Amino acid sequence: MTMTPNQASPAEIHHPLSDKDDGFIAALRAQVAPLKGHLDGPHARGVFDDVMEHTPDAAGVRYEEGAVGGVRGIWCRPRDARPGVALLHMHGGAYVLGSAHAYRHFVGQIAARAHASGFVADYRLAPEHAFPAAVDDARAVYRGIAAQGTERIVITGDSAGGGLALVLLAAAHAEAAAARGLAPSGAAVMSPWTDLTLAGGSFQSRANEDPLNTKGMLAAMAAAYLRTQDASAPLASPLAGTLTDLPPIQLHVGTREVLLDDTLRYVARAREAGVDATAHVWEGMTHVFQSSVGSLDAADRSVTVMAAFLTDKLDSASAG
């Protein structure tokens, strides 16, 4: 979708830090300090899932285990979900950690606000299943949701899952352009890992401010995922992909995280390609701070902004 001057949204929207949230982040930094740089392999799966389990449940959402396109996962079904639309979420965890079960409440919070049923995919994880297993699973789930008669699909994701969501967005768009599938209506991602070559300048400039991630930790995870494959391959690093004519994309990132530049560089490239892409930059926030919805004011606002964007894209697609 190429932007026109009247359609174009701003490249970046900055959100200030409140005193309340600043205090919460300070406490969070102290709490997770022992974990910094150590969530670097399958041994950390239990710890990672436990962290994500702390996201509160959204009222009125029902959770159902199931499989779509041969991939297991969990449906998050708000009681007021609209028929014919769906949200597909790719969870974070650097392609090594994370699960649909641990993410169900987080995705339920987004689905409830977007009034759309959401599916969290349990795509295969490294090192047991190397690249491109996660991509293959993401594409299978997307096709499976479309095959259920779904008319409109939006894609969401966080961290590595945010990068995977952007890979899927481009792949699904290309298939639809070739008349082989349903075109995605848009994507909203949080702190996406868009460049597995780890070339972003914020790996240095935000190294001390990020309370959890380090360049060394992500390098180890990338190696486990890619094995001998090229980190700059577009299916691994969406920053290197073809972005022309992609549907609208909204990205959210904090200023206290090493992946800050992965968002800003992706938005710059997307806009150069004519894509309606906007980065919401949250001052003082850390990696995927939205999982603290209910505790952080910024998390509540960010999830609400994302849900409004997703709802608009679903409605716009319907109107078209």
Side-chain angles (χ1 to χ4, degrees):
M1 179 178 293
T2 303
M3 291 187 295
T4 67
N6 290 332
Q7 293 173 319
S9 55
E12 297 179 18
I13 298 175
H14 287 253
H15 301 267
L17 173 66
S18 70
D19 291 340
K20 173 179 174 291
D21 281 358
D22 195 23
F24 181 91
I25 291 295
L28 178 66
R29 291 176 65 88
Q31 181 181 358
V32 304
L35 300 177
K36 183 167 182 173
H38 295 299
L39 301 180
D40 58 354
H43 64 88
R45 286 173 181 166
V47 173
F48 184 84
D49 279 4
D50 182 66
V51 170
M52 293 308 303
E53 286 274 6
H54 283 78
T55 302
D57 190 7
V61 177
R62 185 177 76 257
Y63 301 95
E64 301 173 357
E65 294 186 3
V68 179
V71 179
R72 301 293 303 178
I74 294 180
W75 280 104
C76 311
R77 299 192 185 276
R79 58 174 164 240
D80 60 351
R82 290 169 292 166
V85 304
L87 179 158
L88 172 57
H89 187 87
M90 313 312 297
H91 69 73
Y95 297 106
V96 174
L97 313 175
S99 68
H101 182 80
Y103 267 79
R104 68 196 186 283
H105 292 162
F106 185 24
V107 178
Q109 291 283 354
I110 302 171
R113 289 168 171 82
H115 311 291
S117 290
F119 187 77
V120 197
D122 256 329
Y123 59 86
R124 288 170 290 171
L125 299 177
E128 297 92 334
H129 305 281
F131 171 83
V135 178
D136 292 342
D137 287 353
R139 296 176 81 160
V141 175
Y142 185 92
R143 292 167 182 155
I145 292 176
Q148 293 177 350
T150 308
E151 298 172 0
R152 301 177 299 283
I153 303 174
V154 290
I155 305 170
T156 61
D158 65 284
S159 194
L164 183 56
L166 294 173
V167 167
L168 176 60
L169 183 76
H173 169 76
E175 288 195 6
R180 296 199 308 269
L182 176 67
S185 297
V189 295
M190 297 157 277
S191 304
W193 192 9
T194 67
D195 179 13
L196 271 63
T197 72
L198 308 178
S202 51
F203 278 106
Q204 284 74 43
S205 65
R206 298 301 193 275
N208 294 327
E209 294 184 61
D210 193 313
L212 191 62
N213 293 317
T214 68
K215 186 173 184 177
M217 184 180 87
L218 291 178
M221 307 286 246
Y225 176 54
L226 294 170
R227 295 186 187 173
T228 61
Q229 299 299 308
D230 183 2
S232 64
L235 290 181
S237 296
L239 181 66
T242 299
L243 309 185
T244 305
D245 290 331
L246 291 182
I249 308 169
Q250 188 179 93
L251 305 91
H252 291 246
V253 69
T255 60
R256 292 176 177 169
E257 58 172 306
V258 294
L259 288 178
L260 172 62
D261 281 355
D262 274 49
T263 287
L264 301 184
R265 289 187 299 147
Y266 183 90
V267 167
R269 272 216 64 220
R271 292 178 70 87
E272 287 173 0
V275 178
D276 185 2
T278 297
H280 285 259
V281 182
W282 298 82
E283 300 295 337
M285 290 294 106
T286 55
H287 190 62
V288 194
F289 64 91
Q290 294 87 355
S291 64
S292 293
V293 63
S295 298
L296 274 172
D297 289 343
D300 289 305
R301 297 201 309 273
S302 177
V303 172
T304 298
V305 168
M306 276 190 294
F309 168 85
L310 295 169
T311 299
D312 178 70
K313 298 313 150 195
L314 292 172
D315 289 346
S316 296
S318 177

